[in-house]
Amino acid sequence: AVWIGSKKFEQYSLGELKTLYDKGYIFPRKYMGYSGFYWCDDSTCSQETDDYAFISRSRVIDKIARITNQVYTGELNKNFQVDEETGKLPPAIIKDFQTKVDQAIRQRMIASGEISGVEVIADPNQDVISTDKIILGIKAVPSGMGRNFDITVGFSNPNLT
């Protein structure tokens, strides 16, 4: 038996379940022709525009963070040569930081279909001498997901073509 709160799943009306779904709740449901229960979706009770609105997308972001952590942990507390005139990191070092994580993410996530693309951004004008920080941004293009299908079914008369 499946319970949602103090009621059995079967006691909820379709309207009540739709209200819960629209609020971002996940709950079990049945599909015609399939035995057992399945999750209705993977919402996280967030705005749909939030990067963490779905569990499947949250896992992707978390995996990018873990890969990034693995790539850059070895770079912590290292000295980097800066341009003697500007005090900024040379473009070659910035490019190396970008390339390392870009390649790691591409190999581990694009190849497996978890994301469609990735871009690693680094401002070449950051002041590493004053801040002791190297700031990068990672933008991933998620894979698409068919959460719903709109299908039109109808008859065709071959004599009217």
Side-chain angles (χ1 to χ4, degrees):
V2 175
W3 294 77
I4 301 174
S6 61
K7 286 171 64 174
K8 275 188 155 187
F9 174 77
E10 291 85 0
Q11 293 174 318
Y12 280 86
S13 70
L14 285 176
E16 290 173 314
L17 292 174
K18 180 166 178 13
T19 299
L20 289 173
Y21 179 81
D22 290 345
K23 290 181 179 182
Y25 287 87
I26 58 174
F27 48 86
R29 68 167 290 180
K30 290 184 170 237
Y31 288 102
M32 185 172 47
Y34 291 87
S35 62
F37 288 92
Y38 298 85
W39 294 114
C40 64
D41 208 341
D42 65 341
S43 299
T44 61
C45 294
S46 307
Q47 295 293 322
E48 282 196 32
T49 55
D50 190 309
D51 285 347
Y52 289 91
F54 299 98
I55 295 168
S56 54
R57 295 269 170 94
S58 299
R59 288 181 181 148
V60 168
I61 290 174
D62 292 347
K63 186 170 181 178
I64 290 170
R66 286 191 305 275
I67 291 169
T68 302
N69 186 43
Q70 290 170 346
V71 167
Y72 293 128
T73 296
E75 304 295 330
L76 291 172
N77 298 320
K78 280 188 175 180
N79 288 322
F80 300 101
Q81 293 291 320
V82 296
D83 182 286
E84 64 182 303
E85 294 177 15
T86 66
K88 310 294 183 199
L89 287 173
I93 291 178
I94 295 232
K95 186 67 175 169
D96 184 56
F97 285 134
Q98 290 173 295
T99 301
K100 283 179 181 178
V101 76
D102 182 271
Q103 287 176 345
I105 292 170
R106 286 180 186 281
Q107 288 171 352
R108 293 174 56 187
M109 297 186 75
I110 292 178
S112 65
E114 293 175 87
I115 59 174
S116 298
V118 66
E119 179 185 13
V120 182
I121 304 153
D123 180 2
N125 294 314
Q126 24 191 319
D127 186 359
V128 179
I129 294 174
S130 297
T131 64
D132 291 329
K133 290 182 185 178
I134 298 166
I135 300 169
L136 299 165
I138 299 174
K139 292 184 177 182
V141 178
S143 296
M145 180 178 286
R147 293 188 187 283
N148 298 290
F149 288 86
D150 284 337
I151 301 169
T152 302
V153 178
F155 291 111
S156 170
N157 185 341
N159 291 320
L160 299 177
T161 54

CSV table of all heavy atoms in Angstrom, one decimal, residues 126-152:
chain,number,residue,atom,x,y,z
A,126,GLN,N,41.4,39.1,-13.5
A,126,GLN,CA,41.3,38.9,-12.1
A,126,GLN,C,42.6,39.2,-11.4
A,126,GLN,O,43.7,38.9,-11.9
A,126,GLN,CB,40.8,37.5,-11.7
A,126,GLN,CG,40.9,36.4,-12.6
A,126,GLN,CD,40.1,35.2,-12.2
A,126,GLN,OE1,40.1,34.8,-11.1
A,126,GLN,NE2,39.6,34.5,-13.2
A,127,ASP,N,42.5,39.7,-10.2
A,127,ASP,CA,43.7,40.1,-9.4
A,127,ASP,C,44.0,39.0,-8.4
A,127,ASP,O,43.6,39.1,-7.2
A,127,ASP,CB,43.3,41.4,-8.7
A,127,ASP,CG,44.6,42.0,-8.0
A,127,ASP,OD1,45.6,41.4,-8.0
A,127,ASP,OD2,44.4,43.1,-7.4
A,128,VAL,N,44.7,38.0,-8.8
A,128,VAL,CA,45.1,36.9,-8.0
A,128,VAL,C,46.0,37.3,-6.9
A,128,VAL,O,46.0,36.7,-5.8
A,128,VAL,CB,45.7,35.7,-8.9
A,128,VAL,CG1,46.1,34.6,-8.0
A,128,VAL,CG2,44.8,35.3,-10.0
A,129,ILE,N,46.9,38.3,-7.1
A,129,ILE,CA,47.8,38.7,-6.1
A,129,ILE,C,47.1,39.2,-4.9
A,129,ILE,O,47.4,38.9,-3.7
A,129,ILE,CB,48.8,39.8,-6.7
A,129,ILE,CG1,49.7,39.2,-7.7
A,129,ILE,CG2,49.7,40.3,-5.5
A,129,ILE,CD1,50.6,40.2,-8.5
A,130,SER,N,46.1,40.0,-5.1
A,130,SER,CA,45.3,40.6,-3.9
A,130,SER,C,44.4,39.6,-3.3
A,130,SER,O,44.1,39.7,-2.1
A,130,SER,CB,44.6,41.8,-4.4
A,130,SER,OG,45.5,42.8,-4.8
A,131,THR,N,43.7,38.8,-4.1
A,131,THR,CA,42.7,37.9,-3.6
A,131,THR,C,43.0,36.5,-3.3
A,131,THR,O,42.3,35.8,-2.5
A,131,THR,CB,41.5,37.9,-4.6
A,131,THR,OG1,41.9,37.2,-5.8
A,131,THR,CG2,41.0,39.3,-4.9
A,132,ASP,N,44.1,36.0,-3.8
A,132,ASP,CA,44.5,34.6,-3.8
A,132,ASP,C,43.4,33.7,-4.3
A,132,ASP,O,43.3,32.6,-3.8
A,132,ASP,CB,44.9,34.2,-2.3
A,132,ASP,CG,46.2,34.9,-1.9
A,132,ASP,OD1,47.1,35.1,-2.7
A,132,ASP,OD2,46.3,35.1,-0.6
A,133,LYS,N,42.6,34.2,-5.2
A,133,LYS,CA,41.5,33.4,-5.8
A,133,LYS,C,41.6,33.4,-7.3
A,133,LYS,O,42.0,34.4,-7.9
A,133,LYS,CB,40.1,34.0,-5.4
A,133,LYS,CG,39.7,33.9,-4.0
A,133,LYS,CD,38.3,34.5,-3.9
A,133,LYS,CE,37.9,34.6,-2.4
A,133,LYS,NZ,36.6,35.2,-2.2
A,134,ILE,N,41.2,32.3,-7.8
A,134,ILE,CA,41.1,32.2,-9.3
A,134,ILE,C,39.6,31.8,-9.5
A,134,ILE,O,39.1,30.8,-9.0
A,134,ILE,CB,42.0,31.1,-9.9
A,134,ILE,CG1,43.4,31.5,-9.6
A,134,ILE,CG2,41.7,30.9,-11.4
A,134,ILE,CD1,44.4,30.4,-9.8
A,135,ILE,N,38.9,32.7,-10.1
A,135,ILE,CA,37.4,32.6,-10.3
A,135,ILE,C,37.1,32.1,-11.7
A,135,ILE,O,37.5,32.7,-12.7
A,135,ILE,CB,36.7,33.9,-10.0
A,135,ILE,CG1,37.1,34.3,-8.5
A,135,ILE,CG2,35.2,33.8,-10.2
A,135,ILE,CD1,36.6,35.7,-8.2
A,136,LEU,N,36.4,31.0,-11.7
A,136,LEU,CA,35.9,30.4,-13.0
A,136,LEU,C,34.4,30.3,-12.9
A,136,LEU,O,33.8,30.1,-11.9
A,136,LEU,CB,36.5,29.0,-13.2
A,136,LEU,CG,38.1,29.0,-13.3
A,136,LEU,CD1,38.6,27.6,-13.1
A,136,LEU,CD2,38.5,29.6,-14.6
A,137,GLY,N,33.8,30.3,-14.1
A,137,GLY,CA,32.3,30.0,-14.2
A,137,GLY,C,32.2,28.8,-15.1
A,137,GLY,O,32.9,28.7,-16.1
A,138,ILE,N,31.2,27.9,-14.8
A,138,ILE,CA,30.9,26.8,-15.6
A,138,ILE,C,29.5,26.8,-16.0
A,138,ILE,O,28.6,26.9,-15.1
A,138,ILE,CB,31.3,25.4,-15.0
A,138,ILE,CG1,32.8,25.4,-14.6
A,138,ILE,CG2,30.9,24.3,-15.8
A,138,ILE,CD1,33.2,24.2,-13.8
A,139,LYS,N,29.2,26.8,-17.3
A,139,LYS,CA,27.8,26.8,-17.8
A,139,LYS,C,27.6,25.5,-18.6
A,139,LYS,O,28.3,25.2,-19.5
A,139,LYS,CB,27.5,28.0,-18.7
A,139,LYS,CG,27.5,29.3,-18.0
A,139,LYS,CD,27.2,30.4,-18.9
A,139,LYS,CE,27.1,31.8,-18.2
A,139,LYS,NZ,26.7,32.8,-19.0
A,140,ALA,N,26.7,24.7,-18.1
A,140,ALA,CA,26.4,23.5,-18.8
A,140,ALA,C,25.1,23.6,-19.5
A,140,ALA,O,24.1,24.2,-19.1
A,140,ALA,CB,26.3,22.3,-17.8
A,141,VAL,N,25.0,23.0,-20.7
A,141,VAL,CA,23.8,22.9,-21.5
A,141,VAL,C,23.2,21.5,-21.1
A,141,VAL,O,23.8,20.5,-21.4
A,141,VAL,CB,24.0,23.0,-23.0
A,141,VAL,CG1,22.7,22.8,-23.8
A,141,VAL,CG2,24.7,24.3,-23.3
A,142,PRO,N,22.0,21.5,-20.5
A,142,PRO,CA,21.5,20.2,-20.1
A,142,PRO,C,21.0,19.4,-21.3
A,142,PRO,O,20.7,19.9,-22.3
A,142,PRO,CB,20.3,20.6,-19.1
A,142,PRO,CG,19.9,21.9,-19.6
A,142,PRO,CD,21.2,22.6,-20.1
A,143,SER,N,20.8,18.1,-21.0
A,143,SER,CA,20.2,17.3,-22.0
A,143,SER,C,18.7,17.5,-21.9
A,143,SER,O,18.2,17.9,-20.9
A,143,SER,CB,20.5,15.8,-21.8
A,143,SER,OG,21.8,15.5,-21.9
A,144,GLY,N,18.0,17.4,-23.0
A,144,GLY,CA,16.5,17.5,-23.0
A,144,GLY,C,15.9,16.3,-22.4
A,144,GLY,O,16.4,15.2,-22.3
A,145,MET,N,14.7,16.5,-21.9
A,145,MET,CA,13.9,15.4,-21.3
A,145,MET,C,12.5,15.5,-21.7
A,145,MET,O,11.9,16.5,-21.6
A,145,MET,CB,14.0,15.5,-19.7
A,145,MET,CG,13.3,14.3,-19.1
A,145,MET,SD,13.5,14.3,-17.3
A,145,MET,CE,15.1,13.8,-17.1
A,146,GLY,N,12.0,14.4,-22.2
A,146,GLY,CA,10.5,14.4,-22.6
A,146,GLY,C,9.7,14.1,-21.4
A,146,GLY,O,9.3,12.9,-21.1
A,147,ARG,N,9.4,15.1,-20.6
A,147,ARG,CA,8.5,14.9,-19.5
A,147,ARG,C,7.1,14.7,-19.8
A,147,ARG,O,6.3,14.1,-19.1
A,147,ARG,CB,8.6,16.2,-18.6
A,147,ARG,CG,9.9,16.4,-17.9
A,147,ARG,CD,9.9,17.5,-16.9
A,147,ARG,NE,11.3,17.7,-16.5
A,147,ARG,CZ,12.0,17.0,-15.6
A,147,ARG,NH1,11.4,15.9,-15.1
A,147,ARG,NH2,13.2,17.2,-15.3
A,148,ASN,N,6.7,15.2,-21.0
A,148,ASN,CA,5.3,15.0,-21.5
A,148,ASN,C,5.3,14.8,-23.0
A,148,ASN,O,6.2,15.3,-23.7
A,148,ASN,CB,4.4,16.3,-21.2
A,148,ASN,CG,4.3,16.5,-19.7
A,148,ASN,OD1,3.7,15.8,-19.0
A,148,ASN,ND2,5.0,17.6,-19.2
A,149,PHE,N,4.3,14.2,-23.5
A,149,PHE,CA,4.1,14.0,-24.9
A,149,PHE,C,2.7,14.5,-25.2
A,149,PHE,O,1.8,14.2,-24.6
A,149,PHE,CB,4.2,12.5,-25.3
A,149,PHE,CG,5.6,12.0,-25.3
A,149,PHE,CD1,6.1,11.4,-24.1
A,149,PHE,CD2,6.4,11.9,-26.4
A,149,PHE,CE1,7.4,10.9,-24.0
A,149,PHE,CE2,7.7,11.4,-26.4
A,149,PHE,CZ,8.2,10.9,-25.2
A,150,ASP,N,2.6,15.3,-26.3
A,150,ASP,CA,1.3,15.7,-26.8
A,150,ASP,C,1.2,15.0,-28.1
A,150,ASP,O,1.9,15.2,-29.1
A,150,ASP,CB,1.3,17.2,-27.1
A,150,ASP,CG,1.1,18.0,-25.8
A,150,ASP,OD1,0.6,17.5,-24.8
A,150,ASP,OD2,1.5,19.2,-25.8
A,151,ILE,N,0.2,14.1,-28.2
A,151,ILE,CA,0.0,13.2,-29.3
A,151,ILE,C,-1.4,13.4,-29.8
A,151,ILE,O,-2.3,13.3,-29.1
A,151,ILE,CB,0.3,11.7,-28.9
A,151,ILE,CG1,1.7,11.6,-28.4
A,151,ILE,CG2,0.1,10.8,-30.1
A,151,ILE,CD1,2.1,10.3,-27.8
A,152,THR,N,-1.5,13.6,-31.1
A,152,THR,CA,-2.8,13.7,-31.8
A,152,THR,C,-3.1,12.3,-32.4
A,152,THR,O,-2.3,11.8,-33.2
A,152,THR,CB,-2.8,14.8,-32.8
A,152,THR,OG1,-2.5,16.0,-32.2
A,152,THR,CG2,-4.2,14.9,-33.5
